[in-house]
């Protein structure tokens, strides 16, 4: 008996929903083995990782605060991934959004008018979109691979931020720490509940996710994106402009990532620092795939991956495990998800080798 | 002259890890597979080589461990993309995310610990020659191995039967399969080779270039190696000049900082990344030249019964 894969006629609806759950279960099983190998009691680690961060209102608010940038970036990326546009530079676009919006906050100073925060949001969107416009231009004009250009631009963006907070934008009264002044209270995102860090960015993100669903499911551009991704030849015959879709998906992804960056600096952080994101832009790739490139799925997977960040912090404090455990968990999760995805498009047939030879 | 020799020696040091990783990836891509996980394989190779060298005291074992760590990561990628038919781009990204996390986890107890730099190969007399002595004969075994890998790869791809089969599979896996060539097996082997080479690149970083382990110490070199394959238009001979050009840019940036030019260090550190983009654009703009050598099946999933 040896297994072989037989192509399904269409994607299995059941498996589309079942594989993320299967991947999470496999990751937890594998994670338990890993923790046992590191000399920890697996149930204790899993409890600290996945249950403890959900045990109070403050923790739930923190979960939403962490999920917000992940969901924003992932929704932007999902447009591109569906059209086979591989923007993996969301981290850089997030950084540029933070620089553009944060620059306005610093320029406005301590007595900022009411229009400054909306202006910062617009600047965040534009900053991220501008950074994503570079790979879009290089791809459509020179056919340069967007995977590599968007990634290289991430390093450039992080160095640019580092220059600004070490140099011209450094807080003169900051005891030479590399960080900007604190933003004025009037330009910070309003908090939703007192005593937590839950800010206005979360409901805006929810609203944008629903909007993204509407665009993909109901609008012609969403249809074009799906056709280009599934059968590029048919898209060509239908006269859809691939270059136009490259521009649209990259600019949208960049704008949403830039918004995520602005929400971080105008929300939980409140100033510009050398490091404004623990790799949200990269992790968003996992969020996008785990959510099946679907806005509602991305909302759920964003919350789950946010939990892996909080869980990583908890096990660091409680059990002395390094924060890198989060990355290992996230990487494993993507492995298992990609592996389990074979079940969506193929079914496994168990046949005797002899029968295979007969048939083939 | 002695300064020039010193600069050239540091260029060689900066180029060697790029060369290893790029040669491996070139063979992988020639077989029709796009493995974007070079960065992840490299960083795991770096921590593997460092950990084994430190605990056993043997650099040879360390180098082998680096190659094995890279190959093990490549095996996971091969399982996902060749056996389970997963998307190659997504799988490569997963490999990088996992590699960076896993290397940080494995290497946490080694941060800040010293290891003896990989020794120079001592050829009696030759190393003492003025200027060209240290330049030509003053390197460690990995530097020579990386340079030697170029003619060996050219010979393999262009002169050997196995290399011909590998290239045929990369051009059209359906046609090669119809002729009876083992598409999946050849791609597995190519990926293992690519992983081992990326692991060697990582080993060079942690054992010779900066003999220590630091989290995320590859700093995008795996991605630059991917860009180098495009730069070389999939021809191994050109990898050498590409890797040394990028090594030169990395070193130039350090030396400009050293000479105290009033350019903020961050702008100089951007140079290798900006240069990568510039080079990609220059090569890709001339579409036909790049496409002539690019494997036609690159990145496409192969399922014999489809």
């Amino acid at each position: 008996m040896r297994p072989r894969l037989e192509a399904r006629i269409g994607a299995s609806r059941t498996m589309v929903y079942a594989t993320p759950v299967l991947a999470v279960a496999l990751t937890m099983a594998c994670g338990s083995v890993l923790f046992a190998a590191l000399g920890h009691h697996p149930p204790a680690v899993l409890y600290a990782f996945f249950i403890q961060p959900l045990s109070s209102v403050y923790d739930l608010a923190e979960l939403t605060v962490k999920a917000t940038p992940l969901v924003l970036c992932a929704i932007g990326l999902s447009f591109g991934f569906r059209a086979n546009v591989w923007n993996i530079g969301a981290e850089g676009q997030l950084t540029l959004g933070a620089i553009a919006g944060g620059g306005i906050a610093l320029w406005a100073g301590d007595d900022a008018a009411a229009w400054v925060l909306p202006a910062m949001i617009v600047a965040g969107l534009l900053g991220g979109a501008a950074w994503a416009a570079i790979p879009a231009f290089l791809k459509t004009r020179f056919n340069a691979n967007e995977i590599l250009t968007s990634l290289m631009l991430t390093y450039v963006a992080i160095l640019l931020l580092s220059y600004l907070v070490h140099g011209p934008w450094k807080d003169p009264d900051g005891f030479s720490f590399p960080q900007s002044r604190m933003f004025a209270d009037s330009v910070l995102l309003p908090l939703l509940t007192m005593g937590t860090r839950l800010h206005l960015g979360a409901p805006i993100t929810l609203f944008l996710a629903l909007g993204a669903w509407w665009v993909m499911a109901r609008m012609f551009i969403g249809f074009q994106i799906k056709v280009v991704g599934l059968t590029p030849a048919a898209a060509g015959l239908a006269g859809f402009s691939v270059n136009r879709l490259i521009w649209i998906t990259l600019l949208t992804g960049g704008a949403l990532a830039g918004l995520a960056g602005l929400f971080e600096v105008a929300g939980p952080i409140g100033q510009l620092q050398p490091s404004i994101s623990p790799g949200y832009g990269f992790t968003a790739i996992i969020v996008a795939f785990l959510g099946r490139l679907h806005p509602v799925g991305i909302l759920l997977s964003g919350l789950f991956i946010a939990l892996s960040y909080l869980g990583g912090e908890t096990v660091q404090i409680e059990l002395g495990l390094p924060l890198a455990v989060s990355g290992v968990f996230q990487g494993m999760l993507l492995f298992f998800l990609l592996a389990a995805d074979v079940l969506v498009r193929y079914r496994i047939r168990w046949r005797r080798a002899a029968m295979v030879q007969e048939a083939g | 002259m002695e300064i020039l020799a010193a600069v050239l020696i540091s260029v060689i040091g900066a180029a060697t890890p790029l060369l290893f990783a790029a040669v491996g990836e070139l063979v992988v891509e020639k077989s029709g597979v796009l493995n974007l996980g070079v960065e992840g394989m490299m960083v795991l190779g770096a921590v593997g080589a460092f950990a084994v060298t430190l605990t056993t005291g043997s650099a040879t074992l360390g180098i082998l461990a680096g190659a094995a760590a890279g190959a093990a990561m490549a095996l996971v990628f091969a399982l996902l993309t060749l056996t389970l038919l997963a998307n190659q781009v997504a799988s490569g990204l997963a490999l990088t995310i996992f590699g960076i996390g896993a290397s940080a986890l494995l290497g946490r107890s080694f941060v800040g610990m010293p290891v003896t730099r990989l020794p120079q190969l001592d050829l009696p007399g030759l190393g003492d020659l003025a200027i060209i002595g240290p330049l030509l004969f003053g390197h460690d075994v990995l530097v020579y191995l990386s340079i030697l890998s170029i003619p060996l790869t050219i010979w393999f791809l262009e002169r050997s039967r196995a290399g011909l089969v590998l290239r045929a599979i990369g051009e059209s896996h359906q046609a090669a399969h119809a002729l009876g060539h083992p598409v999946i097996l050849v791609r597995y082997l190519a990926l293992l080779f690519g992983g081992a080479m990326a692991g060697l690149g990582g080993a060079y970083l942690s054992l010779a270039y900066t003999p220590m382990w630091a989290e995320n110490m590859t700093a995008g070199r795996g991605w630059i190696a991917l860009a180098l394959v495009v730069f070389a238009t999939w021809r191994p001979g050109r990898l050498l000049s590409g890797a040394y050009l990028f090594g030169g840019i990395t070193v130039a940036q350090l030396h400009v900082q050293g000479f105290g030019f009033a350019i903020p260090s961050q702008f100089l550190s951007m140079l290798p990344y900006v240069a990568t983009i510039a080079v990609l654009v220059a090569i890709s703009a001339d579409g036909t030249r790049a496409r002539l050598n690019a494997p036609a099946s690159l990145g496409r999933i192969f399922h014999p019964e489809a």
Side-chain angles (χ1 to χ4, degrees):
Chain A
M1 295 274 278
R2 60 184 284 244
R4 96 201 158 83
L5 296 171
E6 186 179 280
R8 293 178 194 271
I9 293 170
S12 157
R13 297 287 289 175
T14 323
M15 284 303 172
V16 166
Y17 297 111
T19 47
V21 178
L22 180 64
V24 169
L26 285 170
T27 307
M28 293 216 186
C30 236
S32 303
V33 174
L34 178 77
F35 290 132
L38 286 171
H40 292 277
H41 187 50
V45 184
L46 289 181
Y47 177 81
F49 211 98
F50 292 108
I51 309 292
Q52 204 171 332
L54 296 176
S55 49
S56 75
V57 176
Y58 178 83
D59 290 326
L60 289 174
E62 274 302 289
L63 188 72
T64 317
V65 168
K66 288 232 169 8
T68 298
L70 288 171
V71 169
L72 274 175
C73 291
I75 284 177
L77 294 178
S78 70
F79 285 121
F81 290 173
R82 280 192 172 229
N84 276 331
V85 176
W86 297 98
N87 170 18
I88 59 167
E91 184 81 0
Q93 292 141 22
L94 178 150
T95 306
L96 252 286
I99 291 175
I104 292 190
L106 293 174
W107 167 81
D110 277 340
D111 37 26
W115 56 265
V116 171
L117 181 58
M120 284 163 61
I121 292 176
V122 172
L125 288 163
L126 291 178
W131 209 240
I134 303 173
F137 173 71
L138 298 178
K139 171 84 176 176
T140 51
R141 177 73 183 73
F142 299 108
N143 196 32
N145 182 318
E146 78 280 12
I147 298 173
L148 294 170
T149 51
S150 63
L151 186 91
M152 292 295 140
L153 285 168
T154 296
Y155 290 102
V156 175
I158 291 168
L159 286 163
L160 180 65
L161 176 64
S162 162
Y163 161 72
L164 289 171
V165 296
H166 279 93
W169 290 2
K170 188 160 81 173
D171 182 359
D173 310 319
F175 305 102
S176 76
F177 278 109
Q179 54 193 27
S180 77
R181 288 176 186 278
M182 293 301 291
F183 297 166
D185 283 345
S186 58
V187 304
L188 293 181
L189 290 163
L191 293 178
L192 296 184
T193 48
M194 294 312 282
T196 71
R197 303 198 299 166
L198 187 61
H199 56 79
L200 188 63
I204 294 179
T205 300
L206 186 64
F207 177 75
L208 286 172
L210 296 176
W213 170 79
W214 192 74
V215 168
M216 284 311 282
R218 293 282 178 272
M219 280 175 71
F220 186 49
I221 184 72
F223 174 70
Q224 286 182 312
I225 286 173
K226 283 186 269 190
V227 172
V228 165
L230 290 172
T231 42
L237 289 173
F240 301 164
S241 162
V242 173
N243 277 357
R244 189 165 148 265
L245 289 175
I246 291 172
W247 272 104
I248 290 174
T249 52
L250 270 166
L251 289 182
T252 314
L256 291 179
L259 187 62
L262 182 271
F263 282 170
E264 285 304 287
V265 293
I269 302 176
Q271 65 181 162
L272 288 177
Q273 298 171 348
S275 166
I276 52 168
S277 150
Y280 288 136
F282 294 115
T283 313
I285 297 167
I286 301 177
V287 174
F289 278 107
L290 187 63
R292 313 262 65 147
L293 305 181
H294 186 289
V296 177
I298 287 172
L299 280 177
L300 296 174
S301 67
L303 286 168
F304 181 76
I305 298 285
L307 181 59
S308 80
Y309 273 111
L310 287 184
E313 288 173 14
T314 315
V315 296
Q316 188 186 25
I317 297 163
E318 302 262 320
L319 304 165
L321 281 165
L323 211 49
V325 168
S326 295
V328 174
F329 250 96
Q330 292 161 1
M332 272 200 302
L333 183 59
L334 190 49
F335 280 149
F336 284 123
L337 184 71
L338 291 165
D341 263 359
V342 73
L343 298 172
V344 174
R345 287 166 292 119
Y346 299 88
R347 60 166 64 86
I348 298 173
R349 288 276 186 220
W350 294 87
R351 287 206 194 167
R352 282 173 213 289
M355 280 176 69
V356 174
Q357 275 174 358
E358 224 171 83
Chain B
M1 279 308 277
E2 281 188 7
I3 292 179
L4 185 68
V7 169
L8 285 175
I9 286 168
S10 53
V11 169
I12 294 170
T16 300
L18 296 175
L19 196 53
F20 271 121
V23 168
E25 179 66 14
L26 185 136
V27 172
V28 169
E29 291 193 14
K30 270 292 182 190
S31 80
V33 182
L34 179 66
N35 183 356
L36 293 179
V38 182
E39 179 87 0
M41 302 189 295
M42 217 173 167
V43 76
L44 210 69
V47 77
F50 188 86
V52 169
T53 305
L54 198 71
T55 43
T56 65
S58 157
T60 314
L61 284 179
I63 292 170
L64 290 175
M73 290 280 280
L75 187 63
V76 174
F77 180 87
L79 263 173
L80 284 175
T81 59
L82 301 180
T83 303
L84 297 173
L85 312 173
N87 179 308
Q88 295 181 4
V89 174
S91 305
L93 295 175
L95 209 59
T96 292
I97 293 170
F98 178 80
I100 291 172
S103 62
L105 185 64
L106 293 170
R108 71 197 150 119
S109 49
F110 301 111
V111 174
M113 287 169 83
V115 69
T116 346
R117 184 186 291 266
L118 219 52
Q120 298 174 350
L121 282 189
D122 256 334
L123 298 171
L126 292 175
D128 303 329
L129 294 172
I131 299 161
I132 61 158
L135 202 55
L136 291 181
F137 306 107
H139 304 291
D140 56 74
V141 60
L142 284 180
V143 169
Y144 297 112
L145 194 62
S146 75
I147 294 171
L148 199 62
S149 73
I150 295 283
L152 287 177
T153 305
I154 295 176
W155 174 83
F156 171 75
L157 286 175
E158 286 168 17
R159 292 277 177 269
S160 78
R161 186 181 153 74
L164 182 66
V165 170
L166 181 137
R167 282 190 296 144
I169 287 170
E171 290 302 330
S172 168
H173 44 221
Q174 295 296 0
H177 175 66
L179 288 171
H181 294 307
V183 174
I184 302 289
L185 177 70
V186 168
R187 287 186 169 167
Y188 257 95
L189 294 176
L191 278 167
L192 286 176
F193 172 75
M197 290 295 274
L200 284 179
Y204 183 82
L205 277 178
S206 65
L207 296 183
Y209 189 60
T210 45
M212 53 157 207
W213 162 251
E215 231 176 82
N216 216 348
M217 72 183 296
T218 43
R221 286 184 179 85
W223 295 101
I224 293 180
L226 276 159
L228 278 176
V229 177
V230 181
F231 170 81
T233 58
W234 291 271
R235 281 187 291 193
R238 285 195 176 187
L239 279 183
L240 197 63
S241 50
Y244 279 81
L245 174 70
F246 274 88
I249 292 168
T250 312
V251 169
Q253 153 225 322
L254 295 175
H255 281 273
V256 170
Q257 286 179 18
F259 283 123
F261 282 95
I263 307 170
S265 65
Q266 289 92 349
F267 287 102
L268 294 168
S269 305
M270 287 176 193
L271 262 180
Y273 308 115
V274 175
T276 305
I277 296 174
V279 155
L280 267 179
V281 167
I283 295 295
S284 312
D286 183 3
T288 45
R289 195 178 50 181
R291 266 196 294 277
L292 275 179
N293 288 300
S297 290
L298 187 59
R300 297 224 315 268
I301 293 171
F302 174 69
H303 184 231
E305 289 154 45

